[in-house]
Amino acid sequence: MKFNDYKYERPDMSAYAVDMGEKIERFKNAESFSELKEVIKEINVERDKINSMMSIVGIRSSIDTRDEFYQKERLFFDENGPLIAKIDMDYYTAMNNSAFKDEITSEYGEFILDKAKLAVTTISEEVLPLMMTENKLISEYRKLRASAKIEFDGKINNLPQMTPYLMSKDRETRKEALIKTTAFFEENEAEFDRIYDELVKVRTDIAKKLGYENFVQLGYDKLGRTDYTKMDVKNYREQVYKSLVGLSTELKERQAKRIGVDTLMIYDDNFNFKTGNPTPKGEEKWLVDRAATLYKELSPETDEFFTFMRERELMDLTSKEGKAGGGFCDYLPHFKSPFIYSNFNGTSGDVDVLTHEAGHAFQVYMSRNQPISEYYWPTFEAAEIHSMSMEHFAYKWIDLFFEEDTAKYKFNHLNGSINFVPYGVTVDEFQHFVYENPDASPDVRKAKWREIEKKYLPHRNYDGIDLLERGGFWYRQGHIFEMPFYYIDYTLAIMCALQFWHKSNVDMKSAFSDYLELCKRGGSLPFKELVKSANLIVPFEDGAIEKIIAPVKEYLDNVDDFNL
Ligand code: ZN
């Protein structure tokens, strides 16, 4: 059976509500744990079915945005989202009140009960209208960004269309492109400020109504962070400052020399080599064939996985007319099938899809037999460990894709990981300030952003571009508006992935076996426990960052990057 044969049927929502209602009643009235276990299984079968139908709709309506049938089905799920969420909520409430908590813990671990608890403490009837306001504001932000019409190179461009100019080999082009892009944000400064201010206020309101002091802990709870606190994250950011910012600044100085400029300016940030960025040497079929070799040689499990993905046609990779932009990995639990969606465009990003997104897909494939749906995927910061580490395990075969650009790719990839971290913690520290001081004015927020930026990104130079000098760079960072506190997750995962990189250099077999076991554990444990279970150092620990980046620095120091 191929993906196109996976049958879509619109769920009968009232039948679903009645059926789930009965099952939840049986859950409440179960007289033995074996009875309860049976109901949990049945509930998950039904949820897996409906989630799979929703995912099929999401995937097919993105592959062809002109397909009216799936556009209509998409609306159907948008409309029924609240009902589905309400049923889940009833289930979690029943679980919180269950007399069989000890048995649930010994069968599934504690994490499911923690998740059930958070599912009901982070929401209530009273805050639903406020959450709708929040969603409306997020849509306004997306619309405002999408409204950009930037005149450049003799045509009108939206923000993504400006990317190639921002990475141009010609410095004047990069500079002009950044000035024009920033002008769009500056012209709409009042509107970005208004949307964000209202978002901060409504989130603070929601938090207070739910009994939180402010939005910070609610943000953490919504992300399922049950085994670390904002103090751990603060300690982590301090370590980044102490142990990593120096290396990042050194790398930025090397970049300036490499590309031949006296002072590295913001518009040079993404321009890494005079000779251009590393690019894969072929298109979809060629790349997928090479990925098949990589996964065949890496392990029997990855070979089985990738063969499954290919035979069932569970990847839609190349851009085509009518296809929506972006890239993601989804999972159809009813068919035990991951799905990879992307828009290949001839950059090294194409290979990232076949390593990073495939890493996500491999993890969920290995977790497909987890006994409860909540454990198919881990929390976000843990999920990125699987994807980012797969990028590193792929190094051994990366020459298959990049040929003469191989050394350049590896240097660029590690260099990029290190340089991303200080920016990631800037975004994080800013948000802690914002939600701990919800009444701060937009100007005070911007000044704070600039102050934090100077701490973690001392090498950043805005060359007098007004809005950026005043602390307005973050308008373009969608996560800040759409998913508060999420961004640091990428940096935490980098710290874990770099450990797998080092371990795979020392002993590939044992490193991959730890990784494989981690994938199988799926989301059955919270972040820190998953990290420890894979024999990795938890990034929050004192001295962790220093230890983790030492071998990376040694590697980068030994690369003759001037000749790449
Ligand atoms: Zn990812």
Side-chain angles (χ1 to χ4, degrees):
M1 196 155 62
K2 296 184 190 313
F3 174 70
N4 277 335
D5 307 321
Y6 288 9
K7 194 165 173 229
Y8 172 71
E9 255 173 327
R10 180 191 275 204
D12 178 339
M13 286 314 300
S14 43
Y16 178 72
V18 171
D19 178 41
M20 287 292 278
E22 278 167 12
K23 287 185 165 61
I24 293 167
E25 278 310 304
R26 277 172 51 213
F27 181 101
K28 287 184 196 162
N29 300 322
E31 279 171 11
S32 67
F33 181 61
S34 64
E35 206 185 319
L36 190 92
K37 232 174 93 174
E38 184 50 37
V39 187
I40 291 179
K41 215 164 129 188
E42 288 176 27
I43 286 177
N44 285 329
V45 167
E46 294 310 317
R47 293 156 98 207
D48 284 0
K49 252 191 235 162
I50 209 161
N51 284 329
S52 301
M53 291 305 121
M54 189 154 62
S55 289
I56 288 182
V57 165
I59 293 164
R60 291 190 183 150
S61 65
S62 301
I63 290 175
D64 188 355
T65 53
R66 301 161 305 184
D67 184 320
E68 281 172 27
F69 175 79
Y70 284 109
Q71 296 309 323
K72 234 176 46 213
E73 295 309 290
R74 200 176 184 131
L75 271 178
F76 170 81
F77 277 104
D78 285 350
E79 280 161 14
N80 284 290
L83 177 61
I84 298 171
K86 161 94 178 47
I87 294 167
D88 278 348
M89 195 63 74
D90 292 344
Y91 171 50
Y92 290 129
T93 306
M95 192 173 282
N96 285 325
N97 298 324
S98 173
F100 294 101
K101 280 190 182 157
D102 290 344
E103 291 82 353
I104 292 175
T105 306
S106 55
E107 180 76 19
Y108 307 110
E110 245 171 87
F111 200 31
I112 180 61
L113 290 174
D114 288 340
K115 278 174 175 265
K117 210 169 108 199
L118 289 182
V120 299
T121 49
T122 56
I123 199 168
S124 74
E125 291 278 353
E126 195 193 358
V127 303
L128 288 180
L130 296 174
M131 287 173 76
M132 278 162 71
T133 308
E134 182 188 4
N135 287 335
K136 206 184 105 246
L137 288 162
I138 291 172
S139 306
E140 279 181 43
Y141 168 73
R142 288 189 185 142
K143 255 192 214 144
L144 182 57
R145 267 185 64 147
S147 74
K149 290 189 176 66
I150 301 163
E151 232 187 292
F152 201 79
D153 195 22
K155 57 187 176 70
I156 305 290
N157 303 276
N158 59 23
L159 289 172
Q161 285 166 331
M162 290 301 289
T163 309
Y165 301 116
L166 292 163
M167 295 170 79
S168 165
K169 281 186 188 180
D170 176 55
R171 198 178 198 204
E172 270 314 301
T173 305
R174 293 199 300 272
K175 182 176 176 177
E176 268 313 299
L178 187 77
I179 289 174
K180 282 277 172 68
T181 308
T182 306
F184 162 75
F185 287 101
E186 195 156 14
E187 281 154 24
N188 294 286
E189 186 173 0
E191 193 58 359
F192 281 111
D193 280 342
R194 177 195 64 82
I195 293 173
Y196 193 55
D197 194 56
E198 288 182 18
L199 272 170
V200 171
K201 299 228 152 85
V202 78
R203 284 175 182 146
T204 302
D205 226 19
I206 292 173
K208 290 204 165 142
K209 286 208 160 68
L210 290 169
Y212 291 87
E213 184 197 347
N214 56 39
F215 180 75
V216 180
Q217 190 57 45
L218 174 57
Y220 276 52
D221 285 354
K222 280 166 91 89
L223 292 167
R225 296 175 176 176
T226 58
D227 68 346
Y228 61 95
T229 66
K230 65 175 185 176
M231 293 316 289
D232 293 309
V233 177
K234 184 166 183 271
N235 189 42
Y236 170 77
R237 291 195 307 262
E238 277 165 10
Q239 283 194 71
V240 169
Y241 179 67
K242 218 177 66 197
S243 308
L244 191 143
V245 170
L247 174 58
S248 177
T249 301
E250 261 173 47
L251 290 170
K252 284 287 163 191
E253 281 162 8
R254 275 169 82 176
Q255 183 184 350
K257 283 200 196 117
R258 202 163 60 233
I259 64 170
V261 299
D262 288 336
T263 312
L264 196 78
M265 296 294 179
I266 181 68
Y267 41 82
D268 301 319
D269 226 40
N270 297 316
F271 183 67
N272 278 309
F273 305 95
K274 264 187 184 166
T275 47
N277 288 334
T279 49
K281 306 302 170 202
E283 295 188 342
E284 176 171 336
K285 189 177 174 315
W286 188 91
L287 289 169
V288 172
D289 281 342
R290 271 152 181 78
T293 306
L294 146 66
Y295 289 120
K296 192 174 170 53
E297 291 177 12
L298 180 57
S299 75
E301 290 84 359
T302 46
D303 185 28
E304 182 202 305
F305 151 74
F306 204 69
T307 306
F308 179 84
M309 298 296 286
R310 284 187 93 178
E311 282 177 353
R312 294 197 171 209
E313 299 178 356
L314 294 164
M315 298 186 276
D316 198 287
L317 301 173
T318 301
S319 308
K320 55 196 158 210
E321 216 193 313
K323 184 171 170 177
F328 58 81
C329 167
D330 202 350
Y331 181 56
L332 315 168
H334 182 63
F335 303 95
K336 293 191 185 291
S337 299
F339 192 93
I340 297 175
Y341 179 96
S342 72
N343 278 280
F344 276 10
N345 60 6
T347 67
S348 65
D350 297 356
V351 178
D352 297 342
V353 171
L354 292 170
T355 54
H356 183 103
E357 298 304 335
H360 284 305
F362 179 63
Q363 175 264 305
V364 76
Y365 182 76
M366 294 314 290
S367 307
R368 67 192 182 281
N369 295 323
Q370 282 287 345
I372 47 175
S373 313
E374 284 81 359
Y375 289 173
Y376 296 148
W377 292 108
T379 44
F380 292 129
E381 71 300 60
E384 290 303 319
I385 301 175
H386 304 102
S387 53
M388 289 179 168
S389 302
M390 191 63 102
E391 296 174 40
H392 289 294
F393 283 116
Y395 271 29
K396 206 177 143 192
W397 292 270
I398 213 72
D399 57 317
L400 294 173
F401 305 96
F402 288 99
E403 299 182 344
E404 71 274 16
D405 278 354
T406 297
K408 194 192 250 185
Y409 171 83
K410 286 188 193 169
F411 177 83
N412 198 40
H413 190 244
L414 284 170
N415 180 66
S417 294
I418 296 293
N419 283 331
F420 176 75
V421 174
Y423 177 68
V425 303
T426 300
V427 170
D428 187 64
E429 189 158 316
F430 174 65
Q431 296 186 84
H432 281 84
F433 170 81
V434 166
Y435 291 104
E436 275 161 10
N437 302 278
D439 296 320
S441 71
D443 284 343
V444 170
R445 275 184 204 133
K446 272 175 268 188
K448 190 70 188 180
W449 168 270
R450 194 69 191 103
E451 179 193 319
I452 299 169
E453 227 177 13
K454 282 181 176 158
K455 182 161 95 186
Y456 294 110
L457 301 158
H459 47 266
R460 198 167 255 208
N461 196 322
Y462 286 131
D463 199 13
I465 302 174
D466 180 56
L467 177 68
L468 305 182
E469 297 281 8
R470 288 190 290 111
F473 184 86
W474 54 275
Y475 288 168
R476 68 200 69 202
Q477 194 62 61
H479 304 72
I480 293 179
F481 290 78
E482 297 170 18
M483 243 223 213
F485 294 114
Y486 167 47
Y487 209 61
I488 195 138
D489 297 45
Y490 294 110
T491 80
L492 294 171
I494 284 174
M495 286 304 145
C496 297
L498 288 175
Q499 296 180 64
F500 271 129
W501 166 76
H502 179 56
K503 286 176 177 225
S504 70
N505 290 334
V506 177
D507 181 349
M508 183 66 158
K509 227 180 134 190
S510 98
F512 193 77
S513 124
D514 281 347
Y515 174 78
L516 190 62
E517 292 308 311
L518 179 69
C519 288
K520 287 184 195 162
R521 262 171 231 125
S524 62
L525 293 169
F527 175 68
K528 266 165 65 182
E529 284 182 55
L530 280 177
V531 173
K532 284 187 214 155
S533 78
N535 300 314
L536 303 175
I537 307 170
V538 175
F540 307 127
E541 280 171 20
D542 285 330
I545 295 186
E546 202 183 332
K547 249 183 260 164
I548 294 166
I549 65 169
V552 185
K553 181 173 158 45
E554 196 190 317
Y555 177 91
L556 291 171
D557 283 350
N558 283 309
V559 177
D560 175 14
D561 53 315
F562 288 88
N563 291 314
L564 288 178

